[in-house]
């Protein structure tokens, strides 16, 4: 180990031994993977923004809003349901989901901090909290989808007199079918990322538990999976704004 | 960013005490993120919908993104070249978002004027 450092001291920076950009190969590649993933998510969100601005909006006062396939829905009029209750609480459930994901990001960064100190017990603890947060978020999202797919009891009366309830890829009681399509694609694609994140977290947790990184002498793998997990949180922050707030 | 590679084959490793300053910063960042999210939530119900509200929402989202990427993902403390190789492509995406929102508006204008004429 030490001999290779001596040899590389006088050679070119790119010939190995020295880390370009002072980040390890794995971390650098994770950054560029995340950048490419940003492009994919951006494509989906930009499609949403374009479709939204190209569709007519409800002209009257927000209090008088009623769903129609002619205009784009107002999110706070669509997502009003909390499991187990019948009290309308616009955006409250999705607000809770945002909070859960941010908290799991916090526990992840605490796991990374513990890794820097070679504190195996603390890494395990915080990784478990992160996994729990991720699973809770996924559970909430499954619920959110169920509510959206089932729809309301009144449903929406179409021009030909048929009444539709809920939404799928071709029908949508809340607005134009395109709105439901984008809902399923964007939150679904993000949910897939959360799901893979949880799986990767479980693998890393297992490796921490059996002492792989303690033996290796560093917890950089926790840092790398941490980057991915924060990215998933970051994407949700944007989905929350563009899908639920704007 | 401790580069653990140096103590590669050390047989037993010492557990260091928690870094208080670092942990405080993590919780402070979490608090800021929670406060901004609550603010967005309140604004959604108090401020009338329009360009002003959208601008506020997008700016607050960018502030949140800054804290997540800068502190949690540690990008603030990386080498300048790495920071810019992430930020620069992202700036082009921002431009793309604005460009296609304007385009969407133009499509709506076209649709409505076509509907009026027929």
């Amino acid at each position: 180990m030490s001999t290779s450092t001596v040899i590389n001291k006088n050679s070119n920076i790119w010939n190995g031994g020295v880390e370009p950009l002072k980040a390890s190969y794995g971390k650098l590649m994770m950054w560029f993977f995340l950048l490419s993933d940003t492009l994919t998510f951006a494509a989906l969100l930009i499609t949403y923004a374009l479709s939204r601005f190209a569709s007519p909006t409800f002209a009257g006062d927000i209090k008088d809003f009623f769903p129609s396939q002619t205009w784009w829905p107002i999110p706070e009029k669509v997502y009003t349901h909390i499991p187990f209750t019948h009290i309308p609480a616009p955006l409250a459930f999705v607000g809770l989901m945002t909070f859960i994901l941010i908290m799991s990001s916090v526990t992840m960064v605490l796991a990374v901090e513990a890794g820097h100190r070679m504190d195996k017990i603390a890494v395990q603890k915080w990784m478990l909290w992160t996994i729990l947060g991720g699973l809770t978020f996924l559970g909430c999202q499954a619920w959110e989808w169920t509510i959206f797919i089932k729809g309301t009891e009144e449903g929406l009366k179409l021009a030909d007199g048929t009444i539709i309830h809920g939404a799928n890829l071709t029908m949508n009681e809340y607005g134009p079918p395109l709105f439901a399509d984008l809902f399923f694609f964007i939150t679904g694609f993000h949910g897939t990322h959360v799901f893979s994140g949880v799986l990767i977290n479980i693998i890393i947790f297992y490796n921490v538990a059996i002492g792989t990184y303690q033996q290796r002498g560093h917890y950089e793998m926790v840092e790398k999976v941490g980057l991915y997990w924060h990215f998933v949180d970051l994407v949700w922050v944007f989905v929350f704004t563009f899908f639920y707030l704007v | 960013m401790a580069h653990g590679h140096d103590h590669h084959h050390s047989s037993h490793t010492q557990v260091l005490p928690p870094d208080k300053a670092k942990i405080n910063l993590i919780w402070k960042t979490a608090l800021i993120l929670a406060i901004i999210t609550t603010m967005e939530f309140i604004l959604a119900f108090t401020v009338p919908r329009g360009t002003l509200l959208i601008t506020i929402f997008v700016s607050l989202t960018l502030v949140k993104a800054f804290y997540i990427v800068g502190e949690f993902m540690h990008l603030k403390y990386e080498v300048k070249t790495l920071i810019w190789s992430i930020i620069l492509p992202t700036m082009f995406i921002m431009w793309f978002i604005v460009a296609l929102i304007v385009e969407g508006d133009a499509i709506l204008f076209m649709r409505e004027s076509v509907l009026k004429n027929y």
Side-chain angles (χ1 to χ4, degrees), chain A residues 185-241:
Chain A
F185 270 93
I186 294 173
T187 63
F189 197 61
H190 176 264
T192 313
H193 274 75
V194 178
F195 181 68
S196 355
V198 169
L199 285 188
I200 301 167
N201 276 343
I202 290 173
I203 295 169
I204 300 296
F205 171 76
Y206 174 76
N207 283 342
V208 172
I210 62 170
T212 309
Y213 306 130
Q214 200 74 18
Q215 215 165 11
R216 196 177 285 174
H218 59 84
Y219 279 83
E220 208 197 71
M221 281 308 286
V222 177
E223 254 174 76
K224 276 182 261 185
V225 73
L227 281 180
Y228 179 77
W229 191 254
H230 298 313
F231 174 75
V232 168
D233 179 30
L234 179 70
V235 170
W236 182 257
V237 162
F238 278 87
V239 171
F240 181 64
T241 302

Side-chain angles (χ1 to χ4, degrees), chain A residues 19 21 27 39 42 46 50 53-54 76 90-91 106 109 113 116-118 214 216 220 223 227 230 241 245, chain B residues 1 3 5 8 13 15-19 22 26 30 41 44 49 61 72-73 79 81 96 100 104 108 111:
Chain A
E19 290 167 341
L21 306 184
K27 243 164 54 183
L39 297 177
I46 288 169
L50 176 89
F53 276 80
E76 64 184 66
L91 302 183
V106 175
V109 78
E113 192 274 337
H116 285 155
R117 302 184 285 106
M118 299 303 289
Q214 200 74 18
R216 196 177 285 174
E220 208 197 71
E223 254 174 76
L227 281 180
H230 298 313
T241 302
L245 291 178
Chain B
M1 203 106 318
H3 283 279
H5 313 269
H8 218 258
T13 36
V15 177
L16 300 169
D19 188 340
K22 221 173 179 180
I26 293 170
F41 194 76
R49 272 162 201 284
T61 305
F72 287 177
M73 299 172 87
V79 175
T81 321
F96 200 20
L100 283 196
L108 179 66
R111 278 178 181 166

Side-chain angles (χ1 to χ4, degrees), chain B residues 37-98:
Chain B
T37 307
T38 317
M39 265 168 67
E40 287 179 327
F41 194 76
I42 295 166
L43 285 173
F45 297 106
T46 47
V47 178
R49 272 162 201 284
T51 319
L52 175 71
L53 188 64
I54 292 178
T55 316
I56 293 173
F57 278 150
V58 172
S59 331
L60 286 178
T61 305
L62 289 179
V63 174
K64 281 208 274 188
F66 171 79
Y67 278 105
I68 292 173
V69 179
E71 293 293 345
F72 287 177
M73 299 172 87
H74 217 262
L75 190 64
K76 237 171 94 179
Y77 309 96
E78 303 288 352
V79 175
K80 268 215 177 90
T81 321
L82 179 52
I83 296 177
W84 278 109
S85 54
I86 301 297
I87 300 293
L88 210 61
T90 318
M91 279 162 70
F92 284 116
I93 298 175
M94 295 295 162
W95 165 78
F96 200 20
I97 294 175
V98 175

Side-chain angles (χ1 to χ4, degrees), chain A residues 84-151:
Chain A
F84 301 122
T85 66
H86 285 284
I87 315 150
L91 302 183
F93 193 48
V94 75
L96 178 72
M97 283 165 70
T98 309
F99 183 70
I100 290 170
L101 207 59
I102 288 178
M103 281 319 289
S104 84
S105 219
V106 175
T107 55
M108 185 79 235
V109 78
L110 287 168
V112 172
E113 192 274 337
H116 285 155
R117 302 184 285 106
M118 299 303 289
D119 191 341
K120 184 180 153 183
I121 306 292
V123 178
Q124 274 176 318
K125 180 181 83 180
W126 292 121
M127 284 295 291
L128 265 186
W129 277 112
T130 310
I131 293 167
L132 189 71
L135 287 175
T136 315
F137 180 86
L138 282 175
C140 291
Q141 197 166 39
W143 222 317
E144 175 91 344
W145 272 47
T146 312
I147 295 164
F148 190 75
I149 292 168
K150 262 179 73 184

